[in-house]
Amino acid sequence: MKNIRNFCIIAHIDHGKSTLADRLLDATGSVTDREKQDQLLDSMDLERERGITIKSHAIQMDYVYEGEKYVLNLIDTPGHVDFSYEVSRSIAACEGALLVVDAAQSIQAQTISNLYLALENDLEIIPVLNKVDLPSAKPEEVIDDIVDLLGCDPEEVIPASAKTGIGIEEILKAIVERVPAPKGIADEPLQALIFDSVYNPFRGVETYFRVLNGEIKKGQQIKFMATGKSYFADEVGTLRLKQQPKEVVKTGDVGYLITGIKDAREVKVGDTITDSKNPTTNMIEGFEDVKPMVFAGIYPVDTEDYEELRSSMEKLQLNDASLVFQPESSAALGFGFRCGFLGMLHLEIIQERLEREFDMTVITTVPNVSYHAFTNKEPDTIILVNNPSDLPEPSTLNRVEEPYIKASIITKSDFVGSVMSLCIEKRGQITNQTYLTQDRVELSFDMPLAEIVFDFYDRLKTVSKGYASFDYAPIGMRASKLVKVDVLLNANVVDALSALLHQDNAYDIGKKMCEKLRQLIPRQQFDIPIQAAIGAKIIARETVKALRKDVTAKCYGGDISRKRKLLEKQKKGKKRMRAVGNVEIPQEAFMAVLKLND
């Protein structure tokens, strides 16, 4: 056990985590020349194209240092804010972390939030300054920033370039020397932490775990503590580039387990594995069910594809247990699903994967968040509102609470004004402002989650010319004055366009929605009124004018009453047509509501 080192790599998006992992694998001879490729641990096409890690990966390497053989377990972590719970579980499975900072971009918001996670778990931090070979690199300045942040000596920061291979040997040496060996008791009952799971269509769910105490043997009967279910360990082993089956995985090591589970919801990240005959009494701390933050409806373009969409979603859920969905129906779009996502990036990825892996073209409705409503009858009973149509009648409503987040934004000092005005426009309250260096500021805001769901991230990048980095953590529910704004087309409510908005913004957004829809809805033979309403009160109206035939063209001269008679007749026809006519909403209209500021 003294020769095992478990470590992870933490960094902001694009600071070179996956490339550094590639170089470490090369240096330890873990991959042959035939298997080499860029971003080796990123297995999905989508990850390679976008250059982001969506699913975390683990791999074992052998390294000989001063004549002794060491086993290094690298647990790769996703970098995006949406997947922070997975990052926290990966960190809990390690004793050390490589903190990678880009020499050109310096410290960003996510670097700091992941660093705090690592420090909470008492990890040994090894700072690495990556991309020192870039012409725009500022190594001296960034080393000073790292020293200020960590309180370490400048000599402890390892300059490296994952692209060219500078500093890789020093990093491996530091991992062996600085990261402590795992502390665990081999003869205690089995206690292992699940930090990830992958779905294999042939063998069921593969569970990745780290043994804290005891050992796990092939054929042993094991139990998952959060779900209380027992299974047989059909196969256990360690994770090389391909899986390596073993008879036993011992204390302190990282491995995989196959039990033939077919439902990914039974395997929860952060759960504890123990022996079912001789179970451990204490669960590993920090386990929680993943809570979706953003909700949106996903509907098939063709209603006949509903069953196909259901099976596609179920298969996706096997691979990504943080996706939750339930069936719902809408008058405008037919049958579909109400889905919960970890954030907007997660929503985009699921939509993209549905199109790529399952050939499903889908319509996504306006994303919103989950609210708590309280009525006057039972002021203590929480009514969960995931969809605007679930909101109780305004007359019976006591109050509505919405989720708030603590947002931390790091930007250059030149853009403080524009970032602040954007956050205040989004109903944010500034709580703190600290100058990290002379020209870099960290701003902290308390903001409603609903406001950052739409276009906040894009606009933040625009006002800061791409220099702001953003990270958030939920801080609970707060009461707000929220109203439900309905959109009526030809006096019929279109439920897919309803939204819960703050009272102060309701009028503006209602007006903008009407204007946007007027441009997108094709003209009919009759006038189409588009209205935005709060309850029974209409707050905005636009009209799509009718296409009409010139019925008086054949009358020239003569009595005015003849013309009037023809116009009256036309008017009656239009009125009857409007009563029976229904308006088709084009697909763009649903998406356009998201981009009201364009």
Side-chain angles (χ1 to χ4, degrees), residues 21-35:
D22 290 350
R23 287 298 83 77
L24 294 174
L25 293 174
D26 291 350
T28 53
S30 306
V31 284
T32 60
D33 287 344
R34 282 189 64 183
E35 294 164 328

Side-chain angles (χ1 to χ4, degrees), residues 11 42 70 75 244 273 352 371 550 588:
D42 291 349
Y70 288 88
I75 297 170
Q244 229 175 21
I273 307 175
E352 187 105 6
Y371 299 93
D550 186 0
E588 309 82 86

Side-chain angles (χ1 to χ4, degrees), residues 522-527 544-549 570 574:
R523 290 171 73 185
Q524 305 276 358
Q525 293 283 339
F526 51 90
D527 278 4
V544 177
K545 283 294 180 198
L547 292 165
R548 38 184 296 220
K549 186 178 165 192
Q570 185 189 33
K574 293 265 182 233

Side-chain angles (χ1 to χ4, degrees), residues 86-146:
E86 280 185 32
V87 176
S88 78
R89 294 301 82 208
S90 297
I91 285 174
C94 300
E95 278 85 30
L98 294 180
L99 178 76
V100 179
V101 179
D102 187 326
Q105 294 181 33
S106 190
I107 294 162
Q108 305 274 311
Q110 229 132 4
T111 322
I112 291 179
S113 70
N114 286 350
L115 172 69
Y116 288 155
L117 270 179
L119 291 173
E120 274 169 31
N121 285 291
D122 294 330
L123 264 63
E124 178 63 39
I125 308 288
I126 300 173
V128 175
L129 183 67
N130 195 14
K131 306 192 186 179
V132 289
D133 58 320
L134 287 183
S136 59
K138 306 187 286 281
E140 291 82 15
E141 282 178 35
V142 181
I143 286 176
D144 290 347
D145 291 354
I146 296 173

Side-chain angles (χ1 to χ4, degrees), residues 214-390:
E215 56 185 31
I216 185 166
K217 293 190 183 78
K218 185 179 175 177
Q220 181 179 356
Q221 190 165 14
I222 51 151
K223 180 178 164 194
F224 288 1
M225 291 180 82
T227 56
K229 296 192 175 180
S230 295
Y231 309 97
F232 273 104
D234 297 339
E235 185 182 306
V236 295
T238 51
L239 295 148
R240 295 295 162 125
L241 195 58
K242 296 190 170 59
Q243 293 165 340
Q244 229 175 21
K246 290 202 170 171
E247 286 302 310
V248 60
V249 177
K250 297 192 167 152
T251 322
D253 214 347
V254 173
Y256 71 93
L257 160 76
I258 294 176
T259 51
I261 302 172
K262 285 284 183 279
D263 185 354
R265 283 166 296 195
E266 290 178 24
V267 181
K268 295 186 184 291
V269 172
D271 195 356
T272 307
I273 307 175
T274 187
D275 188 56
S276 60
K277 295 190 183 72
N278 176 18
T280 175
T281 44
N282 48 344
M283 260 182 93
I284 296 164
E285 286 175 10
F287 171 72
E288 52 183 83
D289 278 320
V290 178
K291 293 180 198 71
M293 304 282 274
V294 172
F295 294 85
I298 286 187
Y299 293 87
V301 173
D302 192 347
T303 358
E304 290 163 9
D305 297 339
Y306 174 69
E307 280 306 322
E308 210 176 309
L309 179 64
R310 179 197 289 275
S311 75
S312 305
M313 299 278 277
E314 281 167 358
K315 284 176 191 159
L316 254 184
Q317 196 177 34
L318 290 173
N319 219 323
D320 181 352
S322 44
L323 165 72
V324 288
F325 63 89
Q326 60 195 51
E328 73 164 1
S329 63
S330 140
L333 298 169
F335 290 102
F337 296 96
R338 183 102 202 132
C339 305
F341 305 95
L342 297 173
M344 287 304 281
L345 177 82
H346 191 206
L347 180 140
E348 264 180 62
I349 285 163
I350 294 292
Q351 204 176 336
E352 187 105 6
R353 285 181 69 181
L354 277 172
E355 286 188 10
R356 283 191 186 197
E357 294 171 29
F358 304 101
D359 289 331
M360 296 294 312
T361 32
V362 291
I363 296 174
T364 313
T365 62
V366 185
N368 61 3
V369 297
S370 185
Y371 299 93
H372 289 174
F374 299 86
T375 56
N376 290 324
K377 275 187 197 162
E378 302 162 355
D380 300 328
T381 314
I382 295 175
I383 300 167
L384 259 182
V385 181
N386 287 338
N387 199 344
S389 56
D390 304 339

Side-chain angles (χ1 to χ4, degrees), residues 531-590:
Q531 295 161 312
I534 299 173
K537 184 183 173 196
I538 303 291
I539 55 169
R541 170 180 169 138
E542 295 285 334
T543 310
V544 177
K545 283 294 180 198
L547 292 165
R548 38 184 296 220
K549 186 178 165 192
D550 186 0
V551 284
T552 57
K554 60 186 177 191
C555 309
Y556 49 92
D559 191 3
I560 186 75
S561 59
R562 183 140 177 262
K563 285 185 185 173
R564 199 167 288 143
K565 185 178 149 193
L566 287 168
L567 286 169
E568 286 295 324
K569 194 175 167 188
Q570 185 189 33
K571 200 166 157 191
K572 265 186 202 160
K574 293 265 182 233
K575 199 171 175 185
R576 194 163 66 243
M577 201 188 284
R578 185 174 148 190
V580 296
N582 63 352
V583 184
E584 285 288 314
I585 306 172
Q587 193 180 331
E588 309 82 86
F590 293 106

Side-chain angles (χ1 to χ4, degrees), residues 400-418:
V400 181
E401 291 182 354
E402 65 175 332
Y404 263 71
I405 56 156
K406 183 163 210 64
S408 82
I409 297 167
I410 294 180
T411 182
K412 283 193 161 182
S413 48
D414 316 356
F415 306 118
V416 171
S418 47

